[in-house]
Amino acid sequence: MSPPNLSRREWLKRASLLGAAAPLGIASLPAIGQLGWQAPEQLIPREATPGLPAKLFAFDPSLYRFTADEDVFLDDIEQASFLYFWEQANPKTGQVEDRGSADGGALRNASSVAATGFGLTALCIAARRGWEEDTAVRDRVRITLDFALKNIQHQHGFLYHFISGETGQRLLNSEVSPIDTCLFLCGALTCRGFFDDKEIQGLATEFYERIDWTWVLHGGPTLAMGWLPEQGFLKSRWDTYSEMMMMYLLGFASRTHPLTPSVWNEWQRPRFEFDEIVYVGAHAPLFAHQFSHAWFNFRGMHDKYTDYFANSIVATRIHKMWCLELAQRFPDYADDLWGITASDSEHGYAIWGGPPAMGRIDGSIVPCAAGGSLVFMPKECIRVLQNIREKFGKRIWKKYGFVDAFNPLTGWASSDVLGIDAGITLLMAENARSGFVWEQFSKNPEVAKGMDLAGFQPNSKG
């Protein structure tokens, strides 16, 4: 079996871009009003979001309500994405393939623990929506968690990035990955919150309490990005704004091996500026503004630095504006066709996006860029997804939903679906529709505890 293309985490580890930003002070972004979400069965009224830059927003984009037709469309996306996690998981171990053919097919036996974390959350959504029998879903959750505890190689509770879905053994000389382990943990905790099942709850708790967060500090002020048995800890650290917020919050709340809450102040929040709009940014693609938000509901909350939900709304709009500026070079980019984040490309896996521009951008469109931003700009993002499906049809819409990426200018389209890309689209679509993932994840007391220890407070309504 040939190794899969370079993954997000492998690239970040090797490039060390997350540690490249110089320390910058940052004033808090404008306060965002307390914002509710849709309960699974009944819409909860939302309050407006004050303080978004008037230059970018005439109204709060996150208040948009989907029409009945749009809701059906999102349900189609979610069901197709879920089918990936159901079929592209080893039925004996529950471990989800890192990537698979968009048309379906045999397992490749290269699983990623991050994809499995998204898959565990997908199982909760499927049970709630009735896409699979409850008994079968519960059995899959139990198998997945039990196998992870007993068979997947680990160091101090942290799992290797890539594993054999059959044996749980390390693959591709991959690193022990704190962020990928945390994505798995978020899925496990969502299951613990959703299923009234003592065995599932016990397995998820055991997995959480086995993790020694202090080990990954390795004597430093922030978490190391990974560990390799051949060389030890990687030099790069999780020391600047990115998708890693969930990792620190769950580390603070650990009952067995907690991180000191002061670590929250040790990572940088660099200021980026675009068209005279300042926001907290990252030297990473758009997913950096999405992943933690898939589970943690930051709406209406802020720490002493900023409001991260508002920040992601701003970052998403700026990303769209930047894509539209690229239309001078790539005429496919338009108001209803934009979005670039780490994905497949004609030349292999690509870490591309912006602003600032990174990677060899070639006019490709990555559906999960809009899909993963559905909670921030629902009207604009669903318009992109609808346009992609209607305009490009069977070329980009397969058994498991959207292919990972495609290029309207050259005719190229990926033949694969990536688990984490299908996963962020599925989770954010469900949160945008119902807030279900946020609700179930927040049933875990560690969620509120972690945010409290980090200094989060509700925004003022005044």
Side-chain angles (χ1 to χ4, degrees):
M1 180 187 68
S2 61
N5 293 318
L6 193 65
S7 73
R8 299 170 199 254
R9 297 274 63 77
E10 283 291 311
W11 174 83
L12 290 172
K13 178 188 70 178
R14 295 180 188 181
S16 300
L17 286 181
L18 289 180
L24 290 169
I26 179 166
S28 297
L29 290 178
I32 301 300
Q34 184 69 31
L35 203 57
W37 61 80
Q38 299 175 11
E41 301 300 336
Q42 183 178 3
L43 294 176
I44 296 176
R46 294 177 180 173
E47 296 182 17
T49 306
L52 289 173
K55 188 173 183 178
L56 294 184
F57 304 101
F59 59 90
D60 176 6
S62 69
L63 292 179
Y64 179 75
R65 301 288 194 191
F66 296 119
T67 66
D69 287 344
E70 289 170 341
D71 192 70
V72 170
F73 173 69
L74 289 175
D75 202 71
D76 287 346
I77 292 176
E78 288 189 52
Q79 286 197 58
S81 299
F82 165 71
L83 192 60
Y84 174 85
F85 293 104
W86 189 253
E87 293 187 350
Q88 293 296 313
N90 188 307
K92 295 184 292 185
T93 70
Q95 306 309 304
V96 177
E97 295 290 283
D98 178 62
R99 62 168 63 227
S101 169
D103 289 316
L107 303 181
R108 301 174 183 178
N109 198 34
S111 298
S112 77
V113 296
T116 304
F118 279 106
L120 284 167
T121 308
L123 290 168
C124 298
I125 298 171
R128 184 252 168 174
R129 293 277 179 188
W131 297 333
E132 285 291 339
E133 291 292 332
D134 184 74
T135 300
V137 172
R138 288 174 185 251
D139 286 345
R140 178 67 66 84
V141 172
R142 292 189 196 100
I143 288 169
T144 305
L145 294 175
D146 186 69
F147 184 84
L149 280 165
K150 295 178 180 177
N151 298 96
I152 297 181
Q153 285 183 294
H154 72 95
Q155 292 291 332
H156 299 265
F158 291 96
L159 309 181
Y160 284 93
H161 185 166
F162 294 114
I163 62 165
S164 163
E166 184 73 23
T167 68
Q169 298 299 296
R170 174 195 186 198
L171 286 184
L172 308 174
N173 296 318
S174 60
E175 80 284 12
V176 168
S177 173
I179 190 66
D180 293 284
T181 301
C182 188
L183 289 165
F184 186 101
L185 174 61
C186 285
L189 292 177
T190 308
C191 291
R192 189 176 79 169
F194 176 68
F195 292 104
D196 184 14
D197 185 301
K198 292 189 182 302
E199 184 178 359
I200 289 174
Q201 293 170 350
L203 291 168
T205 299
E206 185 179 352
F207 184 86
Y208 189 4
E209 294 187 346
R210 186 179 70 173
I211 297 172
D212 185 354
W213 302 89
T214 59
W215 175 70
V216 188
L217 283 175
H218 185 51
T222 55
L223 297 175
M225 199 168 281
W227 179 90
L228 289 165
E230 296 83 6
Q231 69 181 56
F233 285 99
L234 304 178
K235 293 182 179 179
S236 51
R237 288 183 175 268
W238 292 103
D239 58 5
T240 194
Y241 171 78
S242 66
E243 73 275 26
M244 54 68 170
M245 291 191 294
M246 56 182 149
M247 192 163 49
Y248 285 107
L249 295 173
L250 291 176
F252 298 154
S254 169
R255 188 184 69 84
T256 52
H257 307 286
L259 294 173
T260 303
S262 60
V263 173
W264 191 252
N265 301 313
E266 298 295 333
W267 52 273
Q268 302 162 19
R269 295 159 177 84
R271 290 196 296 179
F272 284 56
E273 184 173 337
F274 184 87
D275 197 22
E276 299 182 345
I277 300 296
V278 177
Y279 64 105
V280 178
H283 290 283
L286 192 59
F287 71 84
H289 295 286
Q290 299 172 345
F291 275 22
S292 283
H293 293 264
W295 288 277
F296 279 90
N297 185 7
F298 293 104
R299 291 180 122 161
M301 303 290 290
H302 69 279
D303 66 0
K304 69 180 183 179
Y305 299 99
T306 195
D307 177 318
Y308 298 97
F309 189 83
N311 188 71
S312 286
I313 294 176
V314 172
T316 304
R317 174 59 64 83
I318 285 175
H319 177 78
K320 175 185 175 180
M321 293 167 60
W322 173 76
C323 286
L324 295 183
E325 287 189 358
L326 290 177
Q328 298 176 17
R329 295 169 53 200
F330 307 110
D332 55 320
Y333 294 143
D335 192 59
D336 57 1
L337 192 63
W338 53 269
I340 315 166
T341 188
S343 71
D344 280 348
S345 76
E346 291 185 67
H347 306 286
Y349 194 81
I351 304 297
W352 51 12
M358 60 191 311
R360 188 168 67 176
I361 297 165
D362 63 2
S364 289
I365 297 291
V366 186
C368 71
S373 298
L374 279 163
V375 300
F376 306 126
M377 298 200 314
K379 183 177 182 179
E380 292 172 85
C381 289
I382 196 170
R383 183 180 177 188
V384 170
L385 298 175
Q386 287 177 317
N387 181 45
I388 290 173
R389 185 170 177 183
E390 291 169 3
K391 187 173 183 178
F392 301 98
K394 294 181 180 180
R395 205 177 110 208
I396 56 80
W397 181 265
K398 306 287 186 178
K399 183 177 185 180
Y400 299 136
F402 295 113
V403 299
D404 194 58
F406 67 102
N407 191 320
L409 301 178
T410 67
W412 170 84
S414 173
S415 60
D416 281 355
V417 168
L418 270 64
I420 56 176
D421 292 348
I424 192 61
T425 299
L426 169 56
L427 270 60
M428 290 304 219
E430 185 60 40
N431 277 333
R433 294 172 72 196
S434 71
F436 172 76
V437 178
W438 288 330
E439 180 189 58
Q440 302 309 312
F441 186 69
S442 69
K443 289 180 180 179
N444 295 283
E446 294 90 348
V447 174
K449 179 181 178 182
M451 294 185 72
D452 182 61
L453 290 171
F456 278 89
Q457 297 179 355
N459 292 330
S460 170
K461 293 184 179 181

